[in-house]
Amino acid sequence: MPDPSAPRWPLEPESPELRRLIEACARFVVDQIDSLPTQPSWDVEHAEPVAAGFVEPPPERASDIEAILERLRPAVAKSFNTAGPGYLAFIPGGGIPAAALADFVACAVNRFVGVAAAAPALARIEAQVITWLASLMGCPPGAGGILTTGGSLSNLTALVAARVDKLPEDFLKGTIYLSEETHLSVLKAARIAGFPERCIRLVPVDARCRLRPGDLETMIEDDRTNGRWPFLVVANAGTTNTGAIDPLPEILEIARRHGLWAHADGAYGGFFRLVPEGASRLCGIEAYDSITLDPHKGLFLPYGTGCLLVRDPATLRRAHGGRAAYLQDVSSGEGAPNFTDLSPELSRDFRGLRLWLPIQLHGLEAFRMQIQEKLDLARWAYLELKDEPLLEMLDEPQLSIVAFAARPDARGAELLRRVNARRRVFLSSTTMGGRYVLRLCVLSFRTHADRVRDAVGAIKEEARWLARD
């Protein structure tokens, strides 16, 4: 017998109850954000018991929202603090509050924008955001694209579009060119798109980790002579290891001369084009056939926000479009495109609002200011560290990554451990040319001069401590 005092439709709370749930979540979020400056930069010690506490069967009965949030609190705490100012590892994500508000609204209204006829104005908002991003990259009129979950899906979508545009159905002689420093997602995309390892050609890099155009052209010519079908070159607009920028104009000119699709992976570096210093370093990106961008990096949005721009949106439609009888009532007409025709995704969330609302709320000026600050902070950190005899700088920062090695190399791992053990900042490492390399990446919108000073001070102090041994 149902409990007569229980709500008849518990999945549809009435206004007072809905307001109570929202306010409880708002308090939780505000508490988290307010405490970020004093939270450790990472803390996964003793995380196993916390994780084990979530191994359980699904509950049959309801729980109170306050109790649920209290269970979440230690789960959030036992993690890398990717939202905090001390997160200088990998490529920091963003998570500006305005984007969280946009997602709350988007999830609550729950409109489907995959086909424009289902929500014409909301689909137009998303299409407009893509037009904004294309304009910011300097793309020509008519350029378009799709918002994705991130660089991995963007690179896959671009690679498939290039394959369909440049190769026949039997495409296994197709050859892809990328640098030794190109992101793992491109190799994964090639494999998913059906290209075996023999179709991938790794082009050597110079002393600054940039693809060497001369070697690229030689490889293309040799491959074509040997019966391969060169069709795609991927240029880096900011590598993950060091922020290196490949010679974009020279690579594009080679691609045009040999009939290749030119793709620029600007997932990390693309949005530095919003400031003059970055624009000068990314000159030429606007003419590429496709560009991967990650707004969850350079525009400080939450993880899961990516974008693929293309000079000719018809190439996406040819690669990913299709007919389905159940969609005959919502075929594309005037206005925004059907996003279902432009990528592998059919059902998808309303991603456009998490870009549109923050840009409307803050204006581009706020983002430009933050982007310039990151370049300035990385440059300051490099200048502070470059004369330290116990460190070897790999290069001047081309964007906002400072890469360096310990002297001797064998001290690198322990140096990283000791710096991170302070919990004030969190750095990461990589391996380059067989060497252990430490990385400091400044990209969080919450990272300012005080925290970068802490990082530089900790690096110097711990390096000198290790030298006493």
Side-chain angles (χ1 to χ4, degrees):
M1 187 74 179
D3 182 354
S5 65
R8 186 177 179 189
W9 306 114
L11 299 183
E12 192 174 352
E14 295 184 358
S15 296
E17 175 61 9
L18 178 59
R19 186 171 290 108
R20 187 183 75 84
L21 297 174
I22 293 170
E23 290 173 352
C25 291
R27 287 193 297 272
F28 180 87
V29 169
V30 171
D31 288 347
Q32 285 292 319
I33 292 175
D34 282 350
S35 64
L36 278 173
T38 58
Q39 289 180 20
S41 60
W42 67 281
D43 181 10
V44 292
E45 292 182 354
H46 311 299
E48 292 292 336
V50 177
F54 290 91
V55 179
E56 58 187 355
E60 287 292 336
R61 304 300 296 269
S63 298
D64 183 70
I65 186 64
E66 298 285 0
I68 295 169
L69 294 173
E70 281 307 307
R71 289 191 67 194
L72 277 177
R73 198 176 298 276
V76 172
K78 291 296 179 180
S79 62
F80 294 173
N81 192 351
T82 52
Y87 190 75
L88 305 173
F90 307 103
I91 305 291
I96 56 176
L101 299 177
D103 274 6
F104 172 71
V105 173
C107 290
V109 301
N110 195 33
R111 295 300 194 265
F112 180 68
V113 300
V115 292
L122 300 183
R124 171 48 59 194
I125 286 174
E126 188 152 324
Q128 183 62 62
V129 163
I130 294 166
T131 300
W132 287 348
L133 297 184
S135 175
L136 292 173
M137 290 301 110
C139 297
I146 185 79
L147 297 183
T148 70
T149 56
S152 295
L153 186 57
S154 297
N155 285 333
L156 173 61
T157 304
L159 195 150
V160 171
R163 187 195 71 193
V164 172
D165 191 65
K166 296 292 185 180
L167 296 176
E169 289 187 3
D170 181 8
F171 57 78
L172 290 183
K173 289 184 181 179
T175 308
I176 302 166
Y177 301 85
L178 44 100
S179 121
E180 299 168 351
E181 294 292 307
T182 298
H183 195 268
L184 171 62
S185 64
V186 176
L187 293 170
K188 290 178 65 175
R191 186 166 63 245
I192 294 168
F195 291 96
E197 190 172 340
R198 69 175 183 271
C199 296
I200 309 299
R201 299 281 271 147
L202 295 182
V203 184
V205 297
D206 64 17
R208 302 194 71 191
C209 299
R210 302 171 302 184
L211 183 148
R212 288 159 50 173
D215 288 338
L216 169 65
E217 184 149 35
T218 298
M219 293 168 77
I220 291 172
E221 292 170 346
D222 288 349
D223 288 341
R224 185 160 279 142
T225 299
N226 291 320
R228 292 174 179 258
W229 298 340
F231 82 99
L232 170 65
V233 58
V234 179
N236 296 305
T239 62
T240 298
N241 273 345
T242 64
I245 301 170
D246 290 337
L248 299 175
E250 291 92 334
I251 293 169
L252 179 65
E253 195 275 330
I254 292 170
R256 291 285 180 265
R257 189 163 61 249
H258 292 279
L260 276 66
W261 180 293
H263 175 66
D265 186 352
Y268 156 57
F271 285 111
F272 286 99
R273 199 181 187 282
L274 271 66
V275 299
E277 182 180 343
S280 66
R281 297 177 190 177
L282 295 168
C283 180
I285 195 172
E286 67 280 356
Y288 272 64
D289 295 296
S290 53
I291 306 169
T292 286
L293 299 171
D294 269 354
H296 64 220
K297 295 184 174 78
L299 288 186
F300 319 114
L301 299 183
Y303 291 118
T305 314
C307 178
L308 174 68
L309 299 176
V310 291
R311 284 174 60 84
D312 181 5
T315 57
L316 292 183
R317 197 169 292 107
R318 287 195 294 270
H320 302 286
R323 295 178 180 272
Y326 68 90
L327 292 175
Q328 64 185 12
D329 298 330
V330 289
S331 59
S332 182
E334 295 296 323
N338 282 348
F339 298 124
T340 55
D341 293 336
L342 305 182
S343 86
E345 294 183 290
L346 293 176
S347 295
R348 59 193 294 281
D349 58 332
F350 176 25
R351 296 182 188 126
L353 200 64
R354 71 166 67 165
L355 278 146
W356 185 85
L357 190 151
I359 292 173
Q360 292 283 348
L361 184 65
H362 299 300
L364 284 175
E365 182 182 19
F367 293 91
R368 295 184 201 275
M369 178 180 67
Q370 286 268 5
I371 290 168
Q372 184 61 54
E373 181 196 32
K374 308 317 162 195
L375 291 172
D376 294 342
L377 289 174
R379 181 70 182 173
W380 180 87
Y382 166 78
L383 293 174
E384 287 292 310
L385 293 172
K386 73 180 183 69
D387 295 325
E388 173 56 59
L390 300 172
L391 304 173
E392 179 184 344
M393 311 309 291
L394 268 65
D395 190 13
E396 295 185 35
Q398 296 178 47
L399 291 172
S400 68
I401 296 173
V402 182
F404 58 97
R407 286 183 169 140
D409 283 355
R411 290 179 179 157
E414 180 60 13
L415 174 59
L416 179 69
R417 189 195 70 77
R418 293 186 65 87
V419 170
N420 286 347
R422 296 185 175 202
R423 307 291 179 93
R424 182 71 175 164
V425 298
F426 186 52
L427 311 184
S428 60
S429 70
T430 188
T431 302
M432 299 182 66
R435 301 187 67 187
Y436 187 95
V437 175
L438 287 78
R439 299 171 61 263
L440 183 157
C441 181
V442 188
L443 199 60
S444 170
F445 70 102
R446 293 189 173 104
T447 300
H448 305 297
D450 60 334
R451 203 61 64 116
V452 176
R453 278 195 298 268
D454 289 348
V456 167
I459 292 166
K460 288 182 175 180
E461 290 169 13
E462 297 298 348
R464 292 165 186 170
W465 189 94
L466 287 170
R468 288 185 283 178
D469 289 352

